[in-house]
Amino acid sequence: MTEPSRHSPREEIQESAMVRTTPLHSVHAAAGASFTDFGGWQMPLRYASDLAEHHAVRRRAGIFDLSHMGEVKVTGPGAAEALDHALVGSISKVALGRARYTMIVAEDGGVIDDLIVYHVGDQEYLVVPNAGNRERVADELVSRCRDFDCEVNDISLTMALIAVQGPRAEEILRDVVDSGAGIPSALRPEDEGVPTADEDCGPDVLCGPTILRRLRYYAAVRATAAGHSIVLARTGYTGEDGFELFCGAEDAVDLWTVITGRAAALAPHADQADESGKPIPVLTPCGLAARDSLRLEAGMPLYGHELTEETTPYDASLGAVVALDKPEFIGRQALVARAAREGAPGTLRLVALAGGGRRAARAGCTVFREGRRVGTITSGLLSPTLGHPIALALLEPASPEEPQWAEGTSLDVDVRGRTYPMRVVAAPFYRRPR
């Protein structure tokens, strides 16, 4: 068992700074980005228009710098068993080349962070925590995995993460991704009659267009892109098809430049032009504002809003990620007790709400049912795609007998002293066309 990896003096200075910058900071500054402090990092909030960036991802594609996210590598013969002990999900059941959404909780069941764990190699896993929780998650993993035959290394400051999301993401990356490992469990079956040239890429290796086409959702393989070694994952936080590319920090600027350059060479669709009639680019740089509106439309939780250390996965209506069939993991006893209390006073449920008009409820707004307070909005906005207000809310159970709120139930939300009606709807609010 090892402690998190040591950094160079330069990295230690960066580590101790109040606000860090990603390897792509100069690229964003040159593009005119507006920045915000997020999770201890100075990140692009927007480049021009929040709405334009949101619509770009829904209609074409957007490119995001996600290098503020953490990367913690867990390796060794006992890695899977250690992660089963440390996290709520059954990581040992994740096939090579696949990924799983999971959580790390405290002994009392409160959510420390939500994570994605990628099984990237034999006895090797990549754990991706949120930026603001990275150091705590890394420390928790070191502590929780100490008695197992594995090593835990926080490699976050050596890595960068670029996401390309949207209906044209695969097309954009076709001339960027050179090849990827042909791991059967990570791949969709090959379509009959689709020609490939994979014999030119080497044994057990698929050429770029094939690996992009066949990579499953929530799968990840080692690959090369623009000559750089990467981990290529079909994951995202937007509700659209897309890819996330983990690369070395030193490769980030070149990889971003190649991706945007190849996208610029693609022809825009004839029916997609701005108000002046100028064709809209295929790929648009996007900031955190668009990422937040996209994830909310997709019904995806955000740590610090839907998930906190005061809520359990069951309170956030995410009990399905908890593997209570595992005999032991940290927080199991508390979560078994919480699962048995579904509908009891003091428990919560995460509920999707939709309203009319143009006035959106925001985080912190109070929700009422027939004049009685029943909960609080955790995230809300006027949906750019749907054109009406949407929100997620943590509510008390509808009743002890039927905890789940029925679709169509009318509720009222206090927005700055005025009450607006909203109704319970199914999540997600938006599903991409198939």
Side-chain angles (χ1 to χ4, degrees):
M1 187 66 231
T2 63
E3 299 296 316
S5 59
R6 297 287 183 180
H7 307 308
S8 68
R10 178 179 178 275
E11 290 169 331
E12 288 176 351
I13 292 171
Q14 184 182 34
E15 176 85 2
S16 65
M18 290 294 292
V19 179
R20 305 178 182 92
T21 58
T22 79
L24 289 159
H25 183 81
S26 61
V27 174
H28 307 315
S34 300
F35 292 93
T36 187
D37 293 347
F38 184 82
W41 293 79
Q42 191 173 45
M43 297 297 297
L45 180 63
R46 64 180 62 84
Y47 294 82
S49 160
D50 298 348
L51 284 176
E53 292 170 23
H54 181 105
H55 290 313
V57 176
R58 290 280 180 255
R59 299 168 184 173
R60 298 172 301 279
I63 184 169
F64 299 81
D65 176 11
L66 306 181
S67 302
H68 61 314
M69 301 292 283
E71 291 89 14
V72 182
K73 187 166 65 172
V74 183
T75 57
E81 184 183 6
L83 289 171
D84 276 352
H85 167 74
L87 310 178
V88 303
S90 292
I91 307 305
S92 59
K93 295 181 180 179
V94 179
L96 180 64
R98 301 305 301 270
R100 178 158 297 179
Y101 175 77
T102 188
M103 297 180 188
I104 183 169
V105 302
E107 288 281 5
D108 66 359
V111 179
I112 294 173
D113 202 9
D114 61 337
L115 317 162
I116 296 181
V117 179
Y118 299 88
H119 189 175
V120 295
D122 292 334
Q123 304 178 357
E124 183 176 350
Y125 296 83
L126 184 66
V127 180
V128 179
N130 288 293
N133 296 329
R134 188 261 301 176
E135 292 179 23
R136 181 174 180 191
V137 170
D139 289 343
E140 287 285 347
L141 288 175
V142 167
S143 175
R144 297 180 183 201
C145 298
R146 181 169 284 120
D147 295 332
F148 297 84
D149 186 11
C150 66
E151 295 184 356
V152 177
N153 289 285
D154 181 357
I155 60 171
S156 304
L157 297 183
T158 70
M159 300 291 292
L161 177 57
I162 297 170
V164 181
Q165 302 279 300
R168 299 190 72 175
E170 182 180 321
E171 177 188 4
I172 289 166
L173 292 175
R174 201 170 291 150
D175 290 331
V176 177
V177 175
D178 308 311
S179 61
I183 300 173
S185 55
L187 303 174
R188 299 171 177 143
E190 182 60 280
D191 296 330
E192 292 185 10
V194 176
T196 68
D198 292 321
E199 62 274 10
D200 298 328
C201 293
D204 302 321
V205 174
L206 301 180
C207 293
T210 304
I211 198 71
L212 290 165
R213 183 179 68 252
R214 294 186 58 192
L215 192 66
R216 293 181 182 274
Y217 183 55
Y218 261 65
V221 296
R222 297 192 187 280
T224 60
H228 303 295
S229 296
I230 66 167
V231 171
L232 175 70
R234 199 173 210 134
T235 48
Y237 195 52
T238 64
E240 296 294 339
D241 188 22
F243 300 86
E244 296 183 317
L245 292 76
F246 297 84
C247 66
E250 68 280 5
D251 299 329
V253 171
D254 184 63
L255 188 55
W256 179 285
T257 302
V258 171
I259 293 170
T260 54
R262 299 287 167 83
L266 295 175
H269 288 166
D271 60 346
Q272 295 188 346
D274 62 21
E275 295 178 355
S276 66
K278 182 180 177 181
I280 299 175
V282 172
L283 184 65
T284 299
C286 299
L288 292 182
R291 190 167 184 250
D292 188 50
S293 57
L294 291 160
R295 71 89 192 168
L296 182 52
E297 287 186 344
M300 296 177 174
L302 175 64
Y303 194 86
H305 287 249
E306 288 70 45
L307 301 171
T308 70
E309 206 163 345
E310 285 68 52
T311 57
T312 71
Y314 292 96
D315 294 315
S317 300
L318 290 167
V321 308
V322 181
L324 290 183
D325 56 340
K326 292 193 300 182
E328 180 276 333
F329 62 88
I330 293 178
R332 185 182 186 280
Q333 184 174 352
L335 292 178
V336 167
R338 170 60 183 84
R341 296 183 62 246
E342 195 66 30
T347 62
L348 298 169
R349 297 189 67 86
L350 188 65
V351 177
L353 304 175
R358 308 288 292 177
R359 189 65 179 269
R362 302 292 182 176
C365 291
T366 303
V367 183
F368 297 90
R369 170 68 166 160
E370 298 177 347
R372 181 175 65 88
R373 184 189 184 283
V374 294
T376 305
I377 299 293
T378 54
S379 297
L381 53 71
L382 178 63
S383 167
T385 304
L386 305 175
H388 60 72
I390 60 173
L392 294 174
L394 282 171
L395 307 182
E396 63 184 44
S399 72
E401 299 76 24
E402 294 291 339
Q404 184 170 340
W405 289 84
E407 290 182 38
T409 300
S410 296
L411 300 170
D412 296 308
V413 181
D414 184 320
V415 182
R416 296 185 179 181
R418 293 190 61 181
T419 300
Y420 294 86
M422 300 192 83
R423 69 186 187 283
V424 177
V425 297
F429 304 99
Y430 165 86
R431 292 185 187 272
R432 67 182 178 89
R434 299 290 177 173

